[in-house]
Amino acid sequence: MSKAKRFKVDRLEMYPKDEVQGSGPAPLDDCLTSLNWLQNFSILSADPERPSGPGCPSSQEQLFHESFDTDSPSSPAAGHTAATGMPQYLGSDSTVGPLFSRYPHIQMQPIPLVEVDYKTNPKAKPPHSHSSLIYMAMQASEQPKVTLSTIYKWIKENFCYYRHAEPTWQNSIRHTLSLNKRFKKVPRQKDEPDKGGFWKINPDHSDMCVNRLFRRKKRFQGYQDTASTSSVNEDMSPEQKTLSPTDSRGTTRSPETLLDLGPMATWTCYSLSSQR
DNA sequence: GCCTGTTTAGCGATAC
DNA sequence: GTATCGCTAAACAGGC
């Protein structure tokens, strides 16, 4: 199966069409336009005691919203938690059951709550865009400017995936730095050691982060566009299904594009029966 | 040779 | 439909 087709099927599995069109999660616009979550490196905190049921948003929805909610409690400081976020918060039967009871061909298998530790799990590709990773590295450095190697180092230290991945991601990082106006190059002075220049957040385009980073939030349209594709991606590993939803080329959906997958993106261990 | 930085091309997805 | 974004891949040049 092609990667593109696989991704479409992946999405199809996540969003039973009728449910998506119907009682999907509340609009995310308000809570997704701030970048504070990124600046604080706010990481989701899975709370099994979170209330659920009639009148309460589902665990997934609530968790999803709070992960981008500027008023929600922040996680520990930068450099410590960015790699331990995006837990695979599994819904209880009370939240998942009713939804999937309408789709008998989709079987949810309850598994324990899992928090993805991106710092130690080499298979868990961080759900951050490269620009987000760069931004986080810059923030974590607490320096006005950072070198490329510093960015590499921070990413590798905080995301195990990149310690084991092919170095092509570094090319992407460089490409992002060069092209993205959010970042500005600061030439190295002759008396400064090492090589290469410095990079800093471009204050002239800092608004771009706030205004555009979460622009992609019309998350269900894509599903509807691709819902007609119906084949089974049986060749995906549990990790692929569970960790970091990926796009058609295996690209991890960043937080902003993860919105496209919605709260159900954090659900896991679904399988398709032979009825499909 | 390696690292850094730039540029081009292409693809998929979303926003407008 | 077009613009924009994110990502990947590749090629190339310059500096160390």
Side-chain angles (χ1 to χ4, degrees), chain A residues 68-201:
Chain A
F68 298 98
D69 189 340
T70 57
D71 295 329
S72 63
S74 295
S75 294
H80 297 282
T81 60
T84 57
M86 303 301 288
Q88 305 308 302
Y89 195 89
L90 303 179
S92 63
D93 289 345
S94 63
T95 58
V96 178
L99 178 62
F100 282 87
S101 64
R102 296 170 55 189
Y103 307 93
H105 61 287
I106 298 178
Q107 301 170 349
M108 295 297 294
Q109 301 174 1
I111 61 173
L113 185 67
V114 175
E115 180 169 326
V116 178
D117 187 352
Y118 294 105
K119 197 163 188 173
T120 60
N121 190 336
K123 294 182 180 179
K125 189 173 182 179
H128 307 294
S129 66
H130 289 152
S131 58
S132 296
L133 291 172
I134 295 168
Y135 187 89
M136 285 190 279
M138 289 178 169
Q139 291 287 343
S141 73
E142 297 181 348
Q143 299 295 323
K145 56 185 181 181
V146 299
T147 62
L148 182 63
S149 59
T150 301
I151 295 172
Y152 290 160
K153 184 181 178 184
W154 185 89
I155 292 174
K156 285 191 283 189
E157 283 180 351
N158 288 278
F159 298 101
C160 185
Y161 174 88
Y162 290 108
R163 290 198 292 271
H164 297 82
E166 294 293 322
T168 55
W169 65 271
Q170 295 177 347
N171 187 13
S172 296
I173 293 294
R174 293 195 302 272
H175 168 81
T176 300
L177 282 169
S178 293
L179 256 63
N180 201 321
K181 291 180 180 179
R182 297 167 196 158
F183 308 113
K184 187 176 182 179
K185 186 179 178 182
V186 180
R188 183 184 293 269
Q189 302 300 316
K190 288 186 176 181
D191 56 344
E192 293 177 299
D194 212 342
K195 58 183 177 181
F198 292 98
W199 294 90
K200 68 176 185 178
I201 297 169

Side-chain angles (χ1 to χ4, degrees), chain A residues 3-76:
Chain A
K3 288 183 178 180
K5 197 170 185 179
R6 173 184 296 175
F7 177 58
K8 290 178 179 178
V9 173
D10 196 22
R11 295 165 67 113
L12 180 60
E13 292 173 5
M14 291 183 180
Y15 304 123
K17 189 173 185 178
D18 292 347
E19 194 67 37
V20 169
Q21 291 174 326
S23 55
L28 301 170
D29 297 25
D30 294 341
C31 61
L32 297 175
T33 54
S34 170
L35 195 62
N36 289 357
W37 70 274
L38 185 59
Q39 293 171 328
N40 295 333
F41 290 5
S42 181
I43 297 302
L44 315 184
S45 57
D47 182 4
E49 303 301 322
R50 200 176 295 283
S52 63
C56 295
S58 70
S59 304
Q60 289 79 11
E61 290 175 17
Q62 196 163 2
L63 179 70
F64 182 73
H65 283 271
E66 288 182 2
S67 68
F68 298 98
D69 189 340
T70 57
D71 295 329
S72 63
S74 295
S75 294

Side-chain angles (χ1 to χ4, degrees), chain A residues 1-2 5-11 13 230-237 240-241 270 272 276:
Chain A
M1 179 187 295
S2 68
K5 197 170 185 179
R6 173 184 296 175
F7 177 58
K8 290 178 179 178
V9 173
D10 196 22
R11 295 165 67 113
E13 292 173 5
S230 59
S231 53
V232 181
N233 60 335
E234 295 172 326
D235 53 338
M236 287 186 74
S237 67
Q240 285 175 301
K241 290 181 178 180
Y270 40 85
L272 302 177
R276 197 89 181 257

